[in-house]
Amino acid sequence: KAQDVSAESLPLAVARAGCSSFVLRRMVVIEEEGSGEEPEEELTEWQKEAREEEKRQRNADYLNWRRGFDQMKREQQVQQAESEKIKEQGNNFFKLGLYMQASMMYSEAIEMQPESAVLYCNRSMAYLKQDMTHEALADAEKSLEIDDKVENIKAYWRKAQALLELDRLEESEATADIGLVMQGQAGNQHLNRVRRRARELATMKRLCGDPWSVKMANGIEKRYTFETDGTLKIHVFGQYVPATFDLSVEGNPRSMVVKMKPEGVGIGNGPPPPPRPYIFEFHDNDQELWLCTPVSSDELPTKFEGQGFDRLRRVAPEAPEVEDASDAEPLDVRCARYIRAMNKAMPLLPPQLPESPSEQEMSKEVLVMEKMSQLRRKYGTKVHMRALELARSPSSAESAELAEVALELQKRFVTRRILPAPAPEPEVQKADVLAASPTPELASAAPGEVQKSRPLFACFAGIC
């Protein structure tokens, strides 16, 4: 009878019949058997063993993977701990003012943790302290490539500072703006200072140089000549009046305060007039300068209008600038002189300083850094960049003498981890160079002596 009861009416039929749970289970089994489904196929012994073996193999593969993963995790933890220890040593050197040693420690730690934004950020600051602005910029950009969130705000500061020192002022200001927007209301004094300085230098570059001129209503010319040292020369009525100016680049429009110097007023004419506030703007592709100062008050104007408003135009310089005699020399000549001075100032091997160096050890290291900074400032960016290019590839030098000094610089940069160790050139290329460009010593030597002298020549040529 259970087979005649539908699935929907089955519980009701059971309840009416007062069946026990055993009877109910039996009825369900009978109904399933009558549903027409085929019973599950029984497995052979061979199939059962195959399935068991497959299961054991999966378990073994997982265990092997898990062991390998745990081992890799342990090694990474050990490596990370060692990297942190080296980084802390670098931080200690940095606090002591030993920036070259600090950058070496950070480089070593980066080899263990190449994806650490903090290490690149730290080394960027150490490079900035050594006037190595290109290297500092590269590290700051790498740090931001790894982590550009607000937690890495220092990298924005390093990048903005490096761009500022490279005279890429608009980029420096833009980088500082990004960081300050991310920082929000909390602000950041370092980024604010860099942005303000970038704006000041950009404004000074546009303001200074050739004089600005305007014809007054009476037809008399008035000229303003702004100098990069903050001095201002005002020519009016055939007289020269010296003054100074202080910029304010945070407002819009930007402003300045002009102060007359006493020697420009004239003896017996009393004290100089009080400082005058001005607002200013650049127009017509920086060929026109708008200046506005109040006439009947000392309040800073908000609009360019009234009697104190002048539109000044650029005036061509009276005489062309004379080129510096040192720039007339070929670049590689200046570069060779610069590299020799660098090699002389920088020992081949950096000193291995203890964790707590003595005053004498610190003084020696600081002296080396100061000499290198002075040389970079003396010879300029163009020469320094050419020296770096030659240090990366001494064989690209146009003369054997330049290749030799470039190779010595490369060795010094490699030991300080400024440059990676160069890859060895194929032996065939060495033989080709040797055959094509023999030195006088090699040309006059016996065949056996040529083979013996070959490594020395290869080093001179910068290919080993």
Side-chain angles (χ1 to χ4, degrees):
K1 291 182 180 180
Q3 294 180 6
D4 299 332
V5 181
S6 63
E8 291 79 8
S9 61
L10 183 60
L12 182 59
V14 172
R16 289 177 179 175
C19 297
S20 63
S21 60
F22 171 78
V23 175
L24 177 60
R25 288 195 299 272
R26 180 59 183 160
M27 291 172 67
V28 172
V29 170
I30 293 172
E31 181 172 323
E32 290 178 352
E33 290 175 354
S35 63
E37 296 180 0
E38 295 181 1
E40 184 179 355
E41 181 183 357
E42 293 187 2
L43 300 176
T44 64
E45 289 297 325
W46 179 84
Q47 290 174 325
K48 290 180 180 179
E49 290 180 2
R51 288 194 177 183
E52 288 295 327
E53 179 61 25
E54 183 180 354
K55 183 178 180 180
R56 285 194 295 270
Q57 187 60 43
R58 285 200 304 268
N59 291 339
D61 291 343
Y62 171 76
L63 290 175
N64 288 335
W65 174 83
R66 184 69 193 191
R67 292 191 189 99
F69 177 79
D70 291 341
Q71 176 66 20
M72 181 179 65
K73 188 176 179 181
R74 286 192 294 270
E75 291 175 356
Q76 186 178 10
Q77 289 173 344
V78 171
Q79 196 172 41
Q80 185 174 358
E82 183 66 21
S83 176
E84 287 294 321
K85 183 179 178 181
I86 295 173
K87 184 192 79 171
E88 288 303 317
Q89 181 62 55
N91 292 346
N92 291 335
F93 282 141
F94 187 91
K95 293 174 184 176
L96 293 171
L98 305 176
Y99 306 119
M100 185 181 296
Q101 293 286 332
S103 60
M104 290 168 55
M105 293 293 102
Y106 296 141
S107 297
E108 188 173 344
I110 286 173
E111 292 179 2
M112 299 180 182
Q113 285 187 282
E115 295 301 317
S116 172
V118 173
L119 289 173
Y120 281 105
C121 186
N122 286 5
R123 191 172 69 175
S124 176
M125 191 62 185
Y127 282 155
L128 282 173
K129 292 293 187 178
Q130 300 175 69
D131 290 334
M132 300 172 65
T133 47
H134 291 87
E135 294 82 357
L137 176 60
D139 273 1
E141 290 178 334
K142 179 64 176 178
S143 179
L144 291 173
E145 179 184 328
I146 298 171
D147 181 11
D148 61 355
K149 304 296 188 300
V150 68
E151 289 77 14
N152 195 24
I153 196 68
K154 287 184 178 179
Y156 287 96
W157 171 29
R158 313 287 198 258
K159 181 180 178 180
Q161 183 66 40
L163 289 168
L164 175 67
E165 295 183 14
L166 289 171
D167 203 33
R168 294 162 61 177
L169 305 176
E170 293 182 358
E171 295 175 75
S172 175
E173 181 181 347
T175 301
D177 282 337
I178 294 172
L180 288 169
V181 169
M182 295 180 64
Q183 195 80 10
Q185 294 182 350
N188 186 290
Q189 60 175 346
H190 302 295
L191 286 173
N192 268 322
R193 184 165 58 248
V194 173
R195 182 177 67 175
R196 183 170 59 252
R197 185 57 180 161
R199 287 177 175 175
E200 288 175 351
L201 291 176
T203 302
M204 291 289 282
K205 185 179 290 188
R206 300 167 72 184
L207 193 62
C208 299
D210 297 341
W212 301 91
S213 175
V214 63
K215 285 285 186 72
M216 295 189 292
N218 55 10
I220 297 177
E221 183 186 24
K222 179 168 57 175
R223 285 193 179 194
Y224 293 82
T225 304
F226 296 90
E227 304 290 348
T228 55
D229 61 358
T231 59
L232 170 62
K233 298 175 182 178
I234 305 175
H235 294 264
V236 63
F237 297 111
Q239 299 293 324
Y240 155 64
V241 180
T244 61
F245 66 99
D246 295 315
L247 295 177
S248 176
V249 295
E250 298 299 321
N252 188 23
R254 294 175 180 176
S255 61
M256 69 174 75
V257 175
V258 175
K259 302 176 182 177
M260 302 295 180
K261 290 185 177 180
E263 59 267 27
V265 178
I267 301 175
N269 292 340
R276 301 296 301 168
Y278 285 80
I279 57 173
F280 65 94
E281 277 185 355
F282 296 97
H283 293 269
D284 191 17
N285 197 25
D286 292 351
Q287 294 304 304
E288 185 168 283
L289 174 66
W290 290 9
L291 275 178
C292 188
T293 185
V295 175
S296 57
S297 71
D298 293 330
E299 296 293 329
L300 185 68
T302 58
K303 297 180 180 180
F304 293 92
E305 59 184 11
Q307 296 180 357
F309 174 36
D310 287 325
R311 296 187 181 189
L312 299 98
R313 299 290 300 182
R314 282 279 191 193
V315 180
E318 297 179 357
E321 295 182 1
V322 179
E323 185 179 9
D324 189 353
S326 62
D327 291 340
E329 288 185 310
L331 177 60
D332 279 1
V333 172
R334 287 178 284 150
C335 190
R337 195 160 58 243
Y338 171 66
I339 293 177
R340 289 191 196 94
M342 289 280 283
N343 290 341
K344 183 178 180 181
M346 186 168 33
L348 177 60
L349 296 176
Q352 300 298 316
L353 297 181
E355 186 171 352
S356 299
S358 64
E359 289 289 338
Q360 185 178 6
E361 291 171 328
M362 291 171 57
S363 298
K364 288 182 179 179
E365 187 70 6
V366 171
L367 183 61
V368 171
M369 291 189 299
E370 180 59 25
K371 286 181 179 178
M372 293 174 63
S373 295
Q374 290 176 355
L375 288 171
R376 291 191 191 98
R377 291 192 293 268
K378 177 181 177 181
Y379 284 88
T381 300
K382 190 174 181 180
V383 173
H384 176 68
M385 293 305 297
R386 175 60 176 157
L388 283 178
E389 180 183 334
L390 290 170
R392 291 189 181 96
S393 178
S395 60
S396 65
E398 295 182 359
S399 67
E401 182 182 3
L402 185 57
E404 179 185 356
V405 295
L407 182 61
E408 289 301 314
L409 183 63
Q410 182 191 72
K411 293 176 183 178
R412 285 160 170 78
F413 280 175
V414 169
T415 58
R416 288 161 176 79
R417 300 179 183 271
I418 297 173
L419 292 179
E425 294 284 344
E427 189 67 23
V428 176
Q429 294 184 16
K430 294 184 181 180
D432 292 343
V433 173
L434 183 62
S437 306
T439 61
E441 292 79 7
L442 292 177
S444 61
E449 295 175 348
V450 171
Q451 183 66 24
K452 188 180 300 182
S453 302
R454 182 178 176 184
L456 178 61
F457 170 77
C459 287
F460 262 77
I463 55 177
C464 71

